[in-house]
């Protein structure tokens, strides 16, 4: 009889879980269609009546996803925390796996790649010792693919994990999973500069998103599609598609999509030489980013408030502990030392009074500090707007001068332009970073490389680029960016005259506490010559390092630098 009862419980439990699936699927459908307000109402209604930990976790994650799409990271974080609490109560390894996958995507969205990688490692460990549901595995492989695209920069691994995700998503008939797995595959072709293949993939994805009413997904596809059209120099088509995409993003109130697509339009007009239009869309983009920065500003204030509340709670706990301690002492001596007990009680009262006075003063001081911090953050945000605005204006104005310049002046202007773009790229990365004193060098140098893509294509230069993900001080990162920029410029100007095969190889890697920077090109023009690299020499002196230049088999520049763990 006991076994029959256990069997019935198991059947009822499975039936109950299967009943949850339509609720979870309906919530996901609302997210895919970008019906965010309806989704909030739907999730909250089911949370009120649901007691099962597995369903409640999915509902809280759904709400977190809603607020992530609304760019309200404060609210999203709150709901991920609630989802984590339900996951722990359930003691279900599949749900724990799924939670780590979703929180990894949340961090990836905010460009906090190292945190995202840590959570995927935790999911990987769970996968090694547990049987994981295909639904969750498909999402896991998809996020692995995204991280290899944006963080590790390994196209082969991106394709490998994207294919695994695609296969599982097709088995599950998961339109969202199919879409994002295919999107990651298109990014591989973009990285390999096989733009025609990437464009075909993305045109199919836009059609697929339309057929399946995937609103957010369609904007994501448009962002990549318009960017690659510009890279492929299909400016007219790129402009038409960007304007269509912008109208669609506006209609569906997708602010992040509006910002990126507006910038693609600005970039296209710049390429077409229409400076007035480029400036117009630059101003529009700056207004949109101002709205986005306001959301980031609110997020900062929330975190500050939480730290303040945490400090208050710790102070209160300390006060309670002191009071409890004094009472215990009073009880221990009450029978034999009444006078001492009274003294202690009096001392406690004095201490309590002084403590209350101190905490009241501390609270008042904290309030002032909080206000000053808010002001500082606001001023910093405003400064970022102005810096970004000025850098973009300088870039556009230099680009406009390039069209009217002589060949000699054109080279000088391109040199200046590339250096301004390098500084602008660093500024963008610093603004995204929570830690302003350090920066992830691989992302930064990769963006520096991308700014030269068009020039490399024009000069038939093949680039082999490998940079390990490393956290370095901002000052060092800036000089590395300028150094790489100057090396690129020198190769383009001086190395490849009269050659059919032009190749540049750049590696930056770390072994133990040593950084290895190696740059080579196969230019024949400098063979056996002694070179004077004035600007490069100045940059290296700023970095306080010794470098080597060799010209036996082309041009080779290298240095080795010791770095400490803090870097």
């Amino acid at each position: 009889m006991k076994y029959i009862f256990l069997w019935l419980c198991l059947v009822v439990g499975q039936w109950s879980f299967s009943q949850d699936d339509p609720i979870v699927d309906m919530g996901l459908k609302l997210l895919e269609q970008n019906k965010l307000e309806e989704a909030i109402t739907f999730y909250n209604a089911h949370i009120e009546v649901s007691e099962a930990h597995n369903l409640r976790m999915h509902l809280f994650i759904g709400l977190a996803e809603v607020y992530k799409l609304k760019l309200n990271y404060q609210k999203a974080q709150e709901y991920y925390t609630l989802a984590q609490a339900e996951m722990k109560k359930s003691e279900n390894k599949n749900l724990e796996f799924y939670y780590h996958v979703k929180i990894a995507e949340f961090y990836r969205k905010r460009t906090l790649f190292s945190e995202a990688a840590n959570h995927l490692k935790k999911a990987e460990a769970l996968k090694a010792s547990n049987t994981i549901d295909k639904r969750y595995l498909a999402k896991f492989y998809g996020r692995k693919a995204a991280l290899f695209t944006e963080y590790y920069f390994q196209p082969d691994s991106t394709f490998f994990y994207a294919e695994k995700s695609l296969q599982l998503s097709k088995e599950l008939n998961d339109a969202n999973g199919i879409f994002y797995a295919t999107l990651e595959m298109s990014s591989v072709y973009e990285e390999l500069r096989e733009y025609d293949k990437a464009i075909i993939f993305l045109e199919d994805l836009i059609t697929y998103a339309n057929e399946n009413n995937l609103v957010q997904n369609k904007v994501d596809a448009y962002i990549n599609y318009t960017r690659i059209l510009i890279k492929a120099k299909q400016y007219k088509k790129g402009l038409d598609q960007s304007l269509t995409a912008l109208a669609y993003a506006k209609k569906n109130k997708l602010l992040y999509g509006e910002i990126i697509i507006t910038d693609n339009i600005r970039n296209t007009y710049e390429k077409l030489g229409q400076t007035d239009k480029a400036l117009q869309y630059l101003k529009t983009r700056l207004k949109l980013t101002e709205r986005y920065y306001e959301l980031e500003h609110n997020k900062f204030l929330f975190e500050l408030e939480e730290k303040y509340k945490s400090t208050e709670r710790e102070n209160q706990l300390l006060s309670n502990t002191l009071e409890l301690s004094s009472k215990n002492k009073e009880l221990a001596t009450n029978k034999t030392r009444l006078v001492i007990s009274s003294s202690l009680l009096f001392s406690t009262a004095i201490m309590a009074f002084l403590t209350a006075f101190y905490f009241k003063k501390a609270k008042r001081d904290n309030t002032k500090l909080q206000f000053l911090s808010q002001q500082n953050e606001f001023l910093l945000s405003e400064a970022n707007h102005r810096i970004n605005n000025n850098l973009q204006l300088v870039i556009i104005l230099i680009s406009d001068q390039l069209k009217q310049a002589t060949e000699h002046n054109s080279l000088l202007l391109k040199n200046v332009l590339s250096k301004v773009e390098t500084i602008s790229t660093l500024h963008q990365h610093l603004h995204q970073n929570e830690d302003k004193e350090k920066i992830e060098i691989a992302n930064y140098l990769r963006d520096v490389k991308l700014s030269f893509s068009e020039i490399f294509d024009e000069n038939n230069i093949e680039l082999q680029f490998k940079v390990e993900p490393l956290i370095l001080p901002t000052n060092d990162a800036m000089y590395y960016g300028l150094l790489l920029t100057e090396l690129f410029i020198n190769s383009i100007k001086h190395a490849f005259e009269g050659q059919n095969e032009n190749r540049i190889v750049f590696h930056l890697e770390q072994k133990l506490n040593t950084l290895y920077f190696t740059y080579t090109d196969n230019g024949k023009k400098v063979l056996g010559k002694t070179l004077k690299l004035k600007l490069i020499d100045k940059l290296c002196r700023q970095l306080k390092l010794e470098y080597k230049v060799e010209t036996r088999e082309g041009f080779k520049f290298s240095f080795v630098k010791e770095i400490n763990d803090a870097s």
Side-chain angles (χ1 to χ4, degrees):
M1 189 69 184
K2 179 175 71 173
Y3 297 111
I4 293 172
F5 176 74
L6 289 172
W7 178 79
L8 282 171
C9 287
L10 179 61
V11 169
V12 169
Q14 289 176 335
W15 179 83
S16 174
F17 183 75
S18 69
Q19 295 303 301
D20 296 346
D21 283 347
I23 297 173
V24 175
D25 291 343
M26 183 60 194
L28 291 175
K29 188 66 68 179
L30 291 171
L31 288 177
E32 290 168 0
Q33 295 172 3
N34 203 45
K35 296 178 179 178
L36 302 185
E37 297 306 322
E38 288 182 40
I40 291 171
T41 303
F42 175 83
Y43 283 125
N44 281 324
H46 283 283
I47 285 168
E48 286 183 10
V49 298
S50 301
E51 295 182 1
H53 297 308
N54 60 336
L55 177 57
R56 286 175 65 81
M57 177 189 157
H58 279 285
L59 294 172
F60 282 130
I61 281 183
L63 279 169
E65 294 289 293
V66 169
Y67 286 106
K68 183 180 78 175
L69 291 173
K70 290 166 77 74
L71 304 179
N72 188 338
Y73 298 136
Q74 165 197 333
K75 276 281 189 185
Q77 183 72 66
E78 289 175 13
Y79 283 113
Y80 279 121
T81 302
L82 291 170
Q84 184 185 30
E86 296 295 335
M87 174 267 288
K88 287 180 178 177
K89 290 175 187 174
S90 74
E91 298 182 352
N92 184 316
K93 295 301 180 184
N94 264 268
L95 292 186
E96 188 178 347
F97 177 89
Y98 182 56
Y99 167 78
H100 285 301
V101 172
K102 295 306 292 184
I103 199 71
E105 173 57 16
F106 175 62
Y107 283 124
R108 189 198 68 84
K109 171 77 173 176
R110 299 173 65 188
T111 67
L112 301 172
F113 295 120
S114 59
E115 287 88 343
N118 286 336
H119 279 281
L120 286 183
K121 284 176 184 175
K122 291 177 181 178
E124 187 92 56
L126 287 166
K127 185 171 76 72
S129 54
N130 298 276
T131 302
I132 303 298
D133 191 292
K134 285 183 180 180
R135 291 173 299 170
Y136 305 144
L137 277 177
K139 297 182 188 306
F140 169 74
Y141 290 130
R143 297 311 83 208
K144 285 273 281 189
L147 213 56
F148 274 103
T149 298
E150 295 177 294
Y151 187 49
Y152 298 117
F153 313 119
Q154 296 179 18
D156 291 345
S157 297
T158 297
F159 214 91
F160 173 77
Y161 287 113
E163 280 190 318
K164 289 178 78 94
S165 178
L166 182 61
Q167 182 182 346
L168 287 170
S169 297
K170 284 181 176 178
E171 287 179 28
L172 298 162
N173 196 26
D174 177 5
N176 194 60
I178 291 169
F179 176 92
Y180 281 111
T182 310
L183 187 69
E184 294 305 329
M185 289 180 176
S186 74
S187 71
V188 173
Y189 289 118
E190 179 184 2
E191 181 68 20
L192 298 173
R193 297 191 195 178
E194 297 182 27
Y195 299 136
D196 290 342
K197 287 184 180 178
I199 287 168
I200 291 169
F201 264 76
L202 289 162
E203 287 174 345
D204 288 344
L205 277 178
I206 290 169
T207 302
Y208 185 78
N210 261 333
E211 291 170 351
N212 290 274
N213 200 18
L214 305 175
V215 176
Q216 175 72 49
N217 307 43
K218 185 176 176 181
V219 170
D220 289 343
Y222 263 131
I223 288 171
N224 289 13
Y225 181 49
T226 53
R227 182 182 66 244
I228 293 172
L229 286 172
I230 296 168
K231 288 184 177 182
K233 300 181 185 177
Q234 298 184 30
Y235 300 133
K236 178 66 171 64
K237 185 177 180 180
L239 184 58
D240 291 342
Q241 292 297 318
S242 294
L243 292 169
T244 301
L246 182 60
Y248 186 79
K250 280 183 179 177
K251 177 184 173 183
N252 290 283
K253 298 179 181 177
L254 294 168
L255 176 60
Y256 185 75
E258 279 189 66
I259 293 170
I260 304 301
I261 294 165
T262 299
D263 201 51
N264 286 348
I265 295 171
R266 189 268 313 161
N267 192 15
T268 308
Y269 276 124
E270 192 177 329
K271 300 291 185 186
L272 291 169
Q274 298 184 34
T275 309
D276 291 343
K277 283 283 189 181
L279 284 169
Q280 176 189 328
Y281 277 91
L282 172 62
K283 290 175 183 176
T284 303
R285 201 258 301 177
L286 289 171
K287 287 178 182 177
L288 291 170
T289 51
E290 195 161 331
R291 283 167 55 195
Y292 182 80
Y293 289 153
E294 283 173 6
L295 294 171
E296 287 290 294
H297 181 58
N298 290 339
K299 180 201 74 173
F300 168 81
L301 294 182
F302 165 74
E303 290 172 351
L304 189 68
E305 182 183 352
E306 285 302 298
K307 288 176 184 175
Y308 175 71
K309 287 179 180 176
S310 175
T311 303
E312 272 202 316
R313 285 193 293 270
E314 288 173 7
N315 289 341
Q316 186 60 48
L317 182 62
L318 176 62
S319 177
N320 292 342
T321 303
L322 288 170
E323 187 177 346
L324 184 60
S325 175
S326 66
K327 284 182 178 179
N328 286 337
K329 289 178 182 177
E330 179 187 354
L331 287 171
T333 59
N334 188 48
K335 292 181 180 179
T336 56
R337 298 180 182 180
L338 184 59
V339 175
I340 296 174
S341 175
S342 300
S343 300
L344 283 172
L345 185 60
F346 179 73
S347 299
T348 302
I350 295 294
M351 185 180 292
F353 174 77
L354 291 172
T355 303
F357 176 78
Y358 169 76
F359 286 141
K360 187 175 181 180
K361 183 177 183 299
K363 185 175 180 180
R364 188 165 58 247
D365 291 343
N366 283 344
T367 302
K368 289 179 182 177
L369 285 171
Q370 184 181 14
F371 176 72
L372 289 171
S373 294
Q374 292 173 10
Q375 283 189 317
N376 287 340
E377 181 66 14
F378 176 74
L379 291 170
L380 179 61
S381 179
E382 287 299 303
N384 277 321
H385 296 332
R386 303 298 175 262
I387 293 167
N388 190 51
N389 189 4
N390 290 336
L391 286 170
Q392 292 297 328
L393 284 171
V394 169
I395 288 169
I396 288 175
L397 291 171
I398 294 173
S399 300
D400 190 44
Q401 289 294 311
L402 270 171
K403 295 184 298 227
Q404 307 165 27
T406 62
E407 185 176 348
H408 175 68
N409 288 339
S410 176
L411 287 173
L412 294 175
L413 286 169
K414 281 182 180 178
N415 286 355
V416 174
L417 179 60
S418 61
K419 293 176 177 66
V420 173
E421 285 179 334
T422 299
I423 299 297
S424 176
T425 300
L426 179 68
H427 172 259
Q428 290 168 14
H429 280 267
L430 280 175
H431 180 68
Q432 291 170 356
N433 266 20
E434 291 184 3
D435 185 349
K436 306 302 180 189
E437 295 182 0
K438 296 176 184 176
I439 196 167
E440 211 295 304
I441 191 70
N443 288 337
Y444 171 48
L445 293 184
R446 184 169 179 261
D447 283 348
V448 171
K449 175 201 74 171
L450 287 174
S451 68
F452 281 87
S453 294
E454 188 175 338
I455 301 173
F456 289 152
D457 288 342
E458 287 174 357
N459 291 275
N460 192 31
I461 297 171
E462 175 197 348
L463 174 64
Q464 296 175 17
F465 184 93
K466 182 181 178 182
V467 179
E468 291 184 3
L470 302 169
I471 304 297
L472 294 178
T474 299
N475 283 343
D476 285 4
M478 179 185 71
Y479 287 119
Y480 291 156
L482 290 171
L483 193 55
L484 183 60
T485 298
E486 186 64 18
L487 289 166
F488 279 155
I489 290 169
N490 285 348
S491 292
I492 293 163
K493 284 171 61 177
H494 305 300
F496 304 119
E497 190 175 323
Q499 289 186 202
N500 293 324
E501 293 184 6
N502 306 324
R503 184 172 62 258
I504 292 173
V505 179
F506 174 62
H507 289 169
L508 183 67
E509 54 191 344
Q510 180 183 358
K511 294 178 182 177
L512 298 177
N513 289 332
T514 305
L515 195 68
Y516 295 86
F517 184 112
T518 310
Y519 178 97
T520 63
D521 70 46
N522 67 336
K524 301 290 189 269
K525 198 173 176 183
V526 298
L527 288 178
K529 294 183 179 178
T530 301
L531 303 176
K532 293 182 179 179
L533 308 171
K534 292 182 181 178
L535 181 54
I536 287 173
D537 186 68
K538 287 179 182 177
L539 292 171
C540 289
R541 272 186 283 163
Q542 290 292 333
L543 287 164
K544 298 178 181 178
L545 55 84
E546 298 290 331
Y547 63 91
K548 293 181 181 179
V549 174
E550 300 173 28
T551 58
R552 286 174 296 178
E553 299 176 356
F555 172 80
K556 180 178 180 181
F557 170 90
S558 62
F559 66 77
V560 175
K561 181 176 172 67
E562 296 297 318
I563 56 175
N564 57 42
D565 294 335
S567 297

